[in-house]
C-alpha cells in the first residue's frame, strides 16, 4: 500500500516517529508521500525523507492556511528556490481553505495559481487541499486547464458531482479516514467512481479512521481505509491494494 498523504514529520510524532513508521511498514505500507506546509517544517520533512530513501518522498508547496498577508510572498519564494534546487514528487499541498479564514481568499488564489504554473512548467502533479472551497478551486482549475495539469484532490469529502468533475479534470481522489465515518457520506456514492481514480491516504496525524476517530492518526491505519473500500467496491483487499498502488505510482510517475 502507498500512503499518498501523511505528515510524518509532525510534532505529534516526535516521541515515537520511527516506531510509528515501522508499524506502517509492518502493515504493508511501503511508500509514504509527505505534503509540505510552509518553511517552519521544511527541514524536518526533508531530514525525514533523507532518513528513509526510496520509501519517503517529499512534496514542496505552500499550504493555503499558511498564506498569510505578511509572509506569503516570501514563503512562495522559498518554495520556488527549493523547486529550482532539487527534484520533488509533487507540488503540494496547495489549494484554497475557506474554513479557517475567508479574508485571505484573494491571496490564496494568487498563491494557488502561481504554484499550478510551476507544476505545469516542471511537469509535476499537484496535491490539492480544498475545504469549503470546491467552487473556488474548480474555477481556478478551469482557468488553468492544461494537458500537464493533474494530481490528487487530497482528503476528498465532496459529493458525487464534485467527484466526477475532479476526475474529468484529470485528477485522482485521495480517500482517507472520512470514508469510515458514519456522517462522511462519500461511502454512499464512491462505488460510482471507478477504482482507477482512487488513491489511499491517511493525512496523519489528522482524521483517524474508525475505530480511532478523534485520536492521533498514523500511516498503519491505512489498512482500515483500504478495508472500508473492500466493502464499498465489493473487491478483495489485494485488488484494492494493487489498483490504488498502481494509481499512486502513475500520478507520481518519476518513481
Amino acid at each position: 500500500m502507498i500512503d499518498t498523504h501523511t505528515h510524518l514529520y509532525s510534532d505529534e510524532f516526535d516521541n515515537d516517529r520511527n516506531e510509528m513508521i515501522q508499524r506502517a511498514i509492518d502493515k504493508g505500507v511501503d511508500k509514504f508521500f509527505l505534503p509540505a506546509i510552509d518553511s517552519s517544517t521544511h527541514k524536518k520533512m526533508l531530514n525525514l525523507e533523507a532518513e528513509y530513501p526510496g520509501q519517503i518522498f517529499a512534496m514542496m508547496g505552500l499550504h493555503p492556511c499558511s498564506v498569510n498577508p505578511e509572509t506569503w510572498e516570501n514563503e512562495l519564494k522559498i518554495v520556488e528556490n527549493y523547486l529550482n534546487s532539487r527534484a520533488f514528487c509533487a507540488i503540494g499541498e496547495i489549494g484554497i481553505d475557506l474554513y479557517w479564514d475567508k479574508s485571505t481568499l484573494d491571496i490564496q488564489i494568487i498563491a494557488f495559481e502561481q504554484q499550478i504554473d510551476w507544476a505545469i512548467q516542471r511537469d509535476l502533479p499537484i496535491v490539492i487541499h480544498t475545504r469549503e472551497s470546491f467552487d473556488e478551486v474548480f474555477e481556478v482549475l478551469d482557468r488553468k486547464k492544461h494537458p500537464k495539469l493533474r494530481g490528487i484532490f487530497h482528503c476528498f469529502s465532496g459529493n458525487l458531482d464534485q467527484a466526477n468533475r475532479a476526475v474529468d479534470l484529470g485528477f485522482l481522489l485521495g480517500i482517507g479516514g472520512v470514508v469510515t465515518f458514519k456522517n462522511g457520506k462519500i461511502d454512499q456514492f464512491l462505488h460510482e467512481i471507478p477504482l482507477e481514480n482512487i488513491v489511499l491516504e491517511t493525512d496523519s496525524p489528522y482524521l483517524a479512521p474508525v475505530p480511532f476517530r478523534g485520536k492521533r492518526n498514523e500511516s498503519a491505519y491505512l489498512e482500515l481505509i483500504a478495508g472500508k473500500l473492500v466493502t464499498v467496491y465489493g473487491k478483495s483487499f489485494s485488488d484494492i491494494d494493487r489498483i490504488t498502488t498502481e494509481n499512486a505510482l502513475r500520478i507520481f510517475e518519476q518513481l
Side-chain angles (χ1 to χ4, degrees):
M1 291 180 288
I2 294 178
D3 191 346
T4 62
H5 198 108
T6 177
H7 300 269
L8 298 178
Y9 54 85
S10 167
D11 292 349
E12 295 190 43
F13 297 124
D14 282 355
N15 292 328
D16 65 343
R17 181 171 289 105
N18 292 327
E19 294 87 343
M20 179 269 299
I21 292 171
Q22 189 59 50
R23 281 194 293 272
I25 292 169
D26 292 344
K27 289 288 188 180
V29 184
D30 63 355
K31 287 184 172 62
F32 308 80
F33 290 83
L34 309 189
I37 299 294
D38 56 36
S39 60
S40 70
T41 54
H42 289 160
K43 188 172 182 183
K44 283 185 78 171
M45 177 180 74
L46 296 176
N47 285 346
L48 190 58
E49 180 191 46
E51 199 177 331
Y52 288 86
Q55 284 188 294
I56 289 179
F57 304 89
M59 308 178 202
M60 181 48 61
L62 180 61
H63 192 294
C65 291
S66 293
V67 178
N68 301 316
E70 304 80 23
T71 60
W72 71 280
E73 290 173 299
N74 188 56
E75 287 284 342
L76 279 183
K77 286 176 184 171
I78 293 169
V79 168
E80 186 177 24
N81 287 339
Y82 269 117
L83 292 171
N84 288 336
S85 68
R86 51 151 287 179
F88 288 90
C89 64
I91 294 184
E93 66 189 277
I94 64 176
I96 300 173
D97 188 307
L98 298 180
Y99 177 81
W100 295 108
D101 190 351
K102 294 179 173 65
S103 72
T104 59
L105 175 60
D106 289 350
I107 54 176
Q108 284 191 54
I109 289 173
I110 295 169
F112 187 26
E113 292 189 339
Q114 176 63 79
Q115 293 178 96
I116 288 173
D117 288 343
W118 290 336
I120 291 169
Q121 289 162 13
R122 291 164 174 80
D123 197 16
L124 287 173
I126 62 173
V127 173
I128 300 177
H129 173 107
T130 174
R131 193 166 185 193
E132 296 190 2
S133 60
F134 273 106
D135 290 344
E136 292 80 3
V137 165
F138 282 133
E139 282 176 21
V140 171
L141 294 179
D142 285 339
R143 277 201 302 275
K144 291 291 183 181
K145 220 164 188 179
H146 189 281
K148 290 182 177 179
L149 182 54
R150 65 197 187 280
I152 298 170
F153 267 74
H154 144 62
C155 190
F156 183 81
S157 56
N159 58 36
L160 179 58
D161 287 342
Q162 290 162 336
N164 280 320
R165 191 168 176 189
V167 168
D168 288 345
L169 285 167
F171 285 81
L172 303 182
L173 307 182
I175 302 301
V178 173
V179 76
T180 71
F181 297 172
K182 280 186 179 177
N183 61 349
K185 299 180 181 176
I186 62 171
D187 61 315
Q188 297 168 23
F189 65 78
L190 199 59
H191 65 280
E192 298 187 46
I193 302 296
L195 191 56
E196 286 69 25
N197 302 115
I198 303 296
V199 291
L200 304 177
E201 63 165 72
T202 60
D203 199 20
S204 302
Y206 315 109
L207 293 172
V210 173
F212 301 104
R213 187 175 183 180
K215 299 178 181 177
R216 187 190 75 168
N217 199 4
E218 58 179 78
S219 288
Y221 299 162
L222 200 66
E223 71 164 356
L224 298 170
I225 296 158
K228 178 66 176 183
L229 293 189
V230 168
T231 304
V232 169
Y233 282 98
K235 291 184 178 290
S236 68
F237 190 96
S238 62
D239 279 346
I240 298 293
D241 179 0
R242 176 180 56 81
I243 295 169
T244 58
T245 294
E246 289 171 356
N247 299 342
L249 293 175
R250 187 174 74 249
I251 204 73
F252 297 115
E253 60 190 22
Q254 77 271 40
L255 302 181

